[in-house]
Amino acid sequence: MKRILNLCCIILLLATISCKLNAQVALVKEGKPTGRIVTTDNPIDNRAALLLQDFVSRITQVRLPVVITNSTRKNDVIIGSGNTQGLTEDGFRLTTQKHQLYISSGGDKGSIYGVVTLLEKYMGISYYAPHCYHLEQSRTLTIPSLDLAENPTFRYRQSQNYALSEDTVYKDWLRLEDPQDAFVKGYWVHTFSRLLPVAEFGETHPEYYSFINGQRRPGNASQLCLTNPEVLEIITHRIDSIFKANPKAKIISVSQNDGNDTYCTCPTCRSIDEYEGSPTGSLIHFVNQLAKRFPDKEFSTLAYQYTMHPPKHIKPLPNVNIMLCNIDCRREVPLTDNASGRNFVKAMEGWAGISNNIFVWDYGINFDNYLVPFPNFPILQQNIKLFKKHHATMHFSQIAGSRGGDFSEMRTYMVSKLMWNSELNADSLMRSFMDHYYGAASPYIYQYEKLLEGALLASNTDLWIYDTPLSHKNGMLNKHCRKRYNELFDQAEAAVATDQELLNRVRLSRLPLQYSDLEMARVEQGESIESLNKQLRLFGERTDYFKVTALNERNNTPKEYCLLYPKRYLPNNRHNLAKEAEINWVSTPAEPYKTEAETVLTDEQFSGDSSKEPGWIGWQGTDAVFTLDMKEVKEITSIQCDFIQQLGQWSLFPQEVTYSYSVDNQCYNLFGKHSIAEDRSPKTKFHQAVCTVNTPIKARYIHVVINSEKVCPGWHFGAGHPSWFFIDEITVR
């Protein structure tokens, strides 16, 4: 009996082995082609076929034929055919049978992603960064028996990297999409101004735009009056034309322009919003009407800033896509673990209760300072799982992957992998990336990142997408931490010193630490001018070599920074006669700035390129009037106020500054007036409002009047709301 059982087991084992061997697909044997790539006339299937052909050629030096035919044979890879059961959009199945491999698709780019998985899992190819891949060459290439199906965590996955448009293989490999892949061209977020241009309707129909603080506010970034029936009809007609011109398009964004609290407060809009408990009420009411008129199309709208929380009563229709944004959340811990995150989670839970069509827009980098460490890697996976749990089917991880930005390449790699499969281990992804991308330098850079993460948590400091480096001067970027970080990077550079490509990758990733050192030196004042100039030259050379073009989302450049730094921040022999002068306020600064205003405005230290940085003193919606008392009569020839403009922070240059002087605080004479022209540039800018005289005059008191904009103008996305202006230093010479 035992012999019979053993014989049966042997027969079964042989049958299993035979079955597996029968399923193998031999593409190349000893440098000769034995297989073909069979595809369809579908453009996506063709792209998949060419991708497979290309990489088989790189591995074996053999170029397999690509054919379109219904007649298949042994060792064919058949793209676009096979079992599609259970596959969702972008999903795929890889199945071998009778010495053939079938790559079937659930739709859209499924066949491409099937090929990518085949190359990655079964041919040993890794693609980690732009034009950076690893493979082992071989004269024989055989696909083993397999039956693998994958569906993505999200049906749409978007992120950022400077090379996604340069290296299409890189984009396909990471399974990322562009808005144009899903949305009708040009209509992806902040579309009100495109659908109802103020240049066309602003003058003749101001009633189409938001009613704010007592009047209609037509402007380039204005919101719409969403209860005006004419607005609905005009936009309906335009959308009809857009879809007729793009018949294959399925989704369009009908969404608020950028800017907070700029929604319409006319009686009709206000009535709906009060009933719904949020300005989202009138928005969903409006978009639902469009969705009813185009039931075969999908309408995406923003739940962003003032529309983040859902309405109390009305529900979005199934073909209304809610693009939910967590722009105001802090990033040092998962969204469930701090107050700002929990507020977003509350909104997400509300939307999940009334919609299964949610697009989460998550933010994962410092937009004011791309080149600053941003150690949020430990929270990526937890947040992505949270989004999926709350009915998100589409996801944009906005990480501002600019060249030279904090771990741009690794950040793109990790979020793309997790958006495809949220169950992957994030730390394993990081280690895999570093080992292949940095080679022998990997252990040192991994240790650097982990020290950053620990120092951030230990400091109990928020991580914000508009941080300045100085926010962390007593935490993860303190002097002792930075010393250790630099030691690790020195070791990393030494480990790959003989490999120029790996050395360049290490140096590119070091730029955020170099930038942080320069920024901290402005306030620590422990470095010699010679040392700072050396650091600045090296930073300039490296950013130029690596073609780093932007330090922030406003596109201020490293070259501009390097020119500004010695003029603005390095010590010099010019003495401020008003240093530590007493300031008597006629109109005081805004509440958060009152305490420090009297000391920082004349301390001879110039603040950096963010109005959030300590040292900038702000007024909102008003002029500024104050008097400096220099305590004694002095001879002066110039007076200067230093201003910053950051349109994104609603911080605008004032219109005019007037200086007067006196020896007794009774009788004042005009010293000079300085006018400032309107500047609509998105870049962060400084302006010195300086007035000079040729002959020195005697003065003890300096009276300053600053006439501001007071209200954001129509072209600004805060139109109708109080604007800010900020002063840093008042210099008298």
Side-chain angles (χ1 to χ4, degrees), residues 657-677:
V657 184
T658 303
Y659 304 116
S660 302
Y661 67 95
S662 172
V663 294
D664 58 6
N665 202 24
Q666 299 295 320
C667 180
Y668 278 86
N669 295 304
L670 178 67
F671 185 87
K673 290 187 177 184
H674 183 101
S675 296
I676 305 175

Side-chain angles (χ1 to χ4, degrees), residues 56 62 97 116 153 187 222 228 241 291 347 428 444 464 470 495 530 537 574 610 627:
V56 168
V62 172
Q97 55 183 346
V116 167
T153 294
Y187 289 88
S222 296
N228 187 315
S241 299
S428 296
Y444 307 106
W464 190 37
L470 301 190
E530 182 182 0
R537 280 196 303 273
R574 294 174 295 175
S610 172
T627 302

Side-chain angles (χ1 to χ4, degrees), residues 20-21 23-26 94-97 100-101 118 121-123 141-147:
K20 288 185 176 180
L21 290 174
Q24 287 183 341
V25 180
L94 306 178
T95 309
T96 53
Q97 55 183 346
Q100 293 179 328
L101 170 63
L118 177 69
K121 289 190 175 182
Y122 302 102
M123 298 188 190
L141 188 58
T142 301
I143 308 301
S145 171
L146 57 91
D147 186 4

